[in-house]
Amino acid sequence: MPLQLALTVDRTSRLPLAVQIRNSLRELVEDGTLRPGARIPSSRQLALDIRVSRSVVVEAYEQLSAEGYLESRHGSGTAVSAHAHAPDLTSTLVPPDREPTPEAMWDLRTGTSNVVDFPRHEWIRCVTAVVADASHQELGYSPPAGVPLTRRVLTSYLGRVRGVRSRPEDLMITSGFAQGLALICKVLLDRGHTTLAVEDPGHPGEREFITSSGLRPIGIPVDDDGLRVDLLEESGVRAVLLTPANQFPTGARLSQARRERLIAWAREVDGYILEDDFNSAFLHRSDRLPALQSLAPDRVVYAGSASKTLAPALRLGWLTAPSELMASIEHVRAGWDIGCSGLEQLALARFIDSGALDRHQRQLRKEFHRRRQTIRHQLETCLPGTRLTGRDSGLQAYLQLPAHIAEQPLIRAARQYSVLARGGRFYTMTDTSRPPALVISYATVDCTGLAQSLLALGKAYREMPG
Ligand SMILES: Cc1ncc(COP(=O)(O)O)c(C=O)c1O
């Protein structure tokens, strides 16, 4: 099969043609355009395509093979060497040590979603109906902010379940929370911000993401009532990103008093609050408070995601912002990608309208509550002396360890018992005053698995010097 390769030569250059070909190919491999294993045209084919003699291409290929960039495979032509250096193209928001996964029976690290229970049949039903019914207009381009129908459905859904006060024209469908964060960072930069406050502990990938956008993340400590707003006030920052419903990873809920103080702060400094509500579907009845946004739609940018309730692969999220900010966000978005897949957005609208999302979330909520109770009940016997912080909601348990237990030796010992978990330090930015901790995600391990993995963790725990 003839393969095509976007490569040209400059006949006016003094560089010999073989050198030009070699340099161009080497660059394509080094910048990751051609990944390890990627097939490239045969020397005969490339010579024909770029109109040079075959010996010139052969010379370039031989040189690159000697340098370890290419390899010839008997019967299947030439390819980029499987060992060629490839730049890491993974987002910082994806946990760094997820790939390759070390051999272990239980993976209790955060960053995963319960995709096992993804409602495949319901989703297929919605996608099939959408593909069958979509009008010509719906198959065309929609506004960068999203399909109008989906924005209407989501606005009323978020109003109903989270008390979010918005209008469809102030709501945007994003490619996950990650894109919402990238958009906000860009708009803040354009408006002269240089820093963005984040929770400490918090999501380490988000901090890197913020840094690479050009803003400096400033860590603000968290306690049992959520973000320390008093310390935020002292920081001099004018925008903050937080998870008020269920702090990631401690599980704390931002208290009512701090919610009010936070909003007063935003008004005082003429700043913004970015509310990451990605895990609110897992709030137990007794833990539910309306979204922070409902208290101050003029100051809070509210963002949610389908990654935890449905699947990260959908890359569907939403964001609602004060109108004057939304205009800037839309402007940036229009220059980026002209929006997400309209068909997926329409499927989401059907999924919500048919009540399937409510049903699915109710089931997940019940299941995750059971999992958390399993951990709670087993702590005393398996990990005596630890404290489960936060409320009885969420997707992970934050276990404060006795002061004498060192996190890393415990994590290493747990690995010996086939359990992968992370210590609190993984999430910490600068607040080193926190006691040691163990963070256990129960997103992908059921009650039976949790009970077994806690027994295994208990064995590792008992090996720690007393
Ligand atoms: C703190 C936090 N916010 C948001 C998300 C959802 O991100 P996305 O919608 O880009 O998948 C995650 C996913 O793990 C998360 O950990």
Side-chain angles (χ1 to χ4, degrees), residues 129-141 343 346 350:
V130 160
V131 174
D133 299 349
S135 64
H136 288 168
Q137 196 187 353
E138 285 172 330
L139 288 173
Y141 292 106
L343 294 175
L346 287 166
R350 274 198 190 235

Side-chain angles (χ1 to χ4, degrees), residues 222-276:
V222 165
D223 65 16
D224 286 349
D225 281 333
L227 184 93
R228 290 276 307 273
V229 181
D230 55 328
L231 299 179
L232 174 68
E233 288 165 348
E234 290 168 14
S235 71
V237 177
R238 291 198 304 116
V240 61
L241 161 65
L242 78 166
T243 45
N246 187 261
Q247 204 273 327
F248 181 84
T250 65
R253 180 180 69 183
L254 191 68
S255 69
Q256 192 61 38
R258 288 201 189 163
R259 284 170 189 242
E260 284 160 21
R261 191 164 170 179
L262 182 64
I263 286 160
W265 162 84
R267 297 218 158 103
E268 174 76 27
V269 300
D270 187 22
Y272 288 108
I273 300 164
L274 175 54
E275 177 175 19
D276 178 1

Side-chain angles (χ1 to χ4, degrees), residues 323-351:
S323 303
E324 54 85 29
L325 197 62
M326 189 46 102
S328 307
I329 298 171
E330 280 196 48
H331 181 73
V332 172
R333 179 81 190 269
W336 280 6
D337 64 1
I338 329 184
C340 315
S341 152
L343 294 175
E344 297 284 349
Q345 293 181 56
L346 287 166
L348 179 66
R350 274 198 190 235
F351 195 76

Side-chain angles (χ1 to χ4, degrees), residues 14 46 77 96 101 105 159 200 207 209 219 235 257 261 276 278 287 345 421:
R14 290 223 200 127
L46 186 61
T101 307
M105 215 172 308
D200 186 5
R207 296 196 290 264
F209 197 78
S235 71
R261 191 164 170 179
D276 178 1
F278 78 110
D287 288 349
Q345 293 181 56

